[in-house]
Amino acid sequence: SSPGKQAPPEAHVVPYSQCTWDFFLSHKQSNAQDAVLNLRMALSDRIPSSTFWLDIEQDPTVHGMCHGVCNSKNFLLFLTTGVTQS
């Protein structure tokens, strides 16, 4: 690894019953933020006790996102143009 460069995050298995969030909401902020917030509201209405990892509320770094994915029961990808480049 280069000096000053952080090591890539390591994924780890978290038992389902120990996950912090019910849903990790993955999206491209520039073209899906409003839609994902609406999706979150709809899910919250149908599943009132549900919890969410959302970048505007959590740590949006690579390490933070890896932690969020590993500690979420479900991963939802809101697929839009450019999402795989962000």
Side-chain angles (χ1 to χ4, degrees):
S1 163
S2 303
K5 193 170 187 177
Q6 197 172 21
E10 289 187 27
H12 58 280
V13 176
V14 175
Y16 189 84
S17 63
Q18 294 177 19
C19 286
T20 305
W21 299 280
D22 295 310
F23 298 97
F24 181 98
L25 301 178
S26 180
H27 65 288
K28 183 168 177 65
Q29 278 189 353
S30 62
N31 62 9
Q33 186 74 49
D34 291 342
V36 167
L37 290 174
N38 287 334
L39 174 62
R40 177 188 172 164
M41 277 196 310
L43 287 168
S44 292
D45 286 346
R46 292 193 176 244
I47 312 167
S49 63
S50 55
T51 56
F52 300 88
W53 191 102
L54 189 59
D55 58 356
I56 60 173
E57 298 172 350
Q58 305 296 331
D59 177 8
T61 64
V62 172
H63 283 271
M65 288 186 277
C66 187
H67 175 78
V69 169
C70 290
N71 285 277
S72 294
K73 295 176 182 174
N74 302 282
F75 178 89
L76 294 177
L77 171 62
F78 196 91
L79 186 58
T80 57
T81 301
V83 73
T84 58
Q85 281 79 42
S86 62

